[in-house]
Amino acid sequence: MTGRVIHIVDDEAPVRASLAFMLVSAGFTVKAHANARAFLAESWKPDEVCLLTDLRMPDMDGLELLTELRRRGIDAPSIVLTGHGDVPMAVAAMKAGASDFIEKPYSEATIIDAIHAACARFDAHSKNGLSIAPTDIRHRLRQLTSREREILEGVVAGLPNKTIAYDLEISPRTVEAHRASIMAKMQARSLPELVRMTLAVDLSAEKGDPDRDRN
C-alpha cells in the first residue's frame, strides 16, 4: 500500500464520495476537494501526494491544474479521469505531467492498480512511467511503416480517428486497423502507455521505413 495521501479533485459531490469510499475501503488515506483551487489552497507535501483529478471541471479543469502544478515546480503522481470524448485533452494532460489517464466508466480495480503503478513509478524515480529503455522504444518505432508513423503522430497529438482519416484521406476503419498494428508493434498495453513511450523519446527524430506500405 502506498504511503501517499490520495487527493481526489472533482466538482461532483457524489463522484467524490464514491471514489473516497472506494479508496478508504481499500486501505488508502484520502482527502477530497470540490475543485482545483481548493486543492491548491491546502498545505501538503508533493512527496506525500497522489492526485486523482477529473478532467472537465468549471473554473479550473484538470489540465489547467496540472499546468499550474508544473508552473510551481511541483511533481507528483497524477491520474486524470476522463470521458471517452476527452481523450485528446487527456493526451495533452499527460504532456503536462499526468502519470496516467483512465477513461470512464472505470472499475475499482482499474483505479487502484493505476494508483499503485503511478506511486511506484515515482517512488522508484522513474518519472516517465516506463520499465522499457528509450533505445528499445526507438527500436520498436523503427518497425512501424510510414503510414503507421503518420497515424501514431496523430494519436499522440490527441486527434480522433475520424480526423486522422480525413487528414490522410483514408477510411476511419483503416485508421483503426493501423492503430491495432501500432499497439502490437510497440507492445503497448494501453493508449496511456503508448503516449508515455512517445514522450520518452523524440518521435520526430525516429524515422520509419519510407519504402513500406502507406495504404
Side-chain angles (χ1 to χ4, degrees):
M1 184 64 60
T2 177
R4 292 175 180 265
V5 176
I6 313 304
H7 287 259
I8 299 169
V9 180
D10 197 298
D11 61 306
E12 297 186 21
V15 174
R16 290 198 308 275
S18 176
L19 279 172
F21 179 79
M22 174 201 305
L23 295 176
V24 169
S25 298
F28 293 96
T29 302
V30 176
K31 291 199 70 174
H33 310 273
N35 54 62
R37 297 196 186 280
F39 167 69
L40 291 171
E42 291 254 347
S43 177
W44 37 260
K45 297 179 180 179
D47 59 357
E48 297 177 354
V49 168
C50 177
L51 176 62
L52 187 62
T53 180
D54 191 31
L55 184 56
R56 290 193 177 274
M57 297 182 291
D59 188 25
M60 177 183 285
D61 63 27
L63 177 55
E64 291 168 332
L65 171 57
L66 291 172
T67 301
E68 175 62 17
L69 289 174
R70 172 172 283 189
R71 187 189 70 79
R72 297 184 184 190
I74 296 172
D75 201 10
S78 305
I79 300 167
V80 173
L81 304 179
T82 174
H84 178 73
D86 296 331
V87 169
M89 285 184 65
V91 171
M94 291 194 69
K95 293 179 179 179
S99 306
D100 206 346
F101 68 85
I102 298 174
E103 293 185 64
K104 303 174 183 176
Y106 45 77
S107 67
E108 177 177 344
T110 298
I111 293 285
I112 292 174
D113 288 349
I115 290 173
H116 280 304
C119 291
R121 288 193 294 265
F122 264 74
D123 293 342
H125 305 289
S126 177
K127 299 299 179 63
N128 68 7
L130 297 167
S131 58
I132 177 176
T135 52
D136 292 329
I137 296 173
R138 295 187 184 100
H139 174 73
R140 294 176 189 181
L141 283 169
R142 286 192 287 270
Q143 309 309 306
L144 302 182
T145 66
S146 294
R147 177 64 82 199
E148 288 168 347
R149 280 296 308 276
E150 291 173 333
I151 291 171
L152 175 59
E153 289 168 0
V155 170
V156 173
L159 300 178
N161 285 354
K162 288 184 178 179
T163 301
I164 296 173
Y166 178 83
D167 290 344
L168 298 179
E169 298 182 338
I170 57 179
S171 71
R173 181 168 294 183
T174 299
V175 172
E176 291 174 5
H178 281 304
R179 282 186 62 159
S181 177
I182 292 167
M183 295 290 285
K185 289 179 180 179
M186 295 298 295
Q187 300 177 42
R189 294 165 293 182
S190 65
L191 179 56
E193 185 175 37
L194 180 66
V195 173
R196 284 197 295 271
M197 285 182 181
T198 60
L199 293 179
V201 298
D202 182 2
L203 182 58
S204 64
E206 304 304 322
K207 304 299 182 183
D209 183 345
D211 297 325
R212 302 178 71 183
D213 181 28
R214 294 176 59 89
N215 295 324

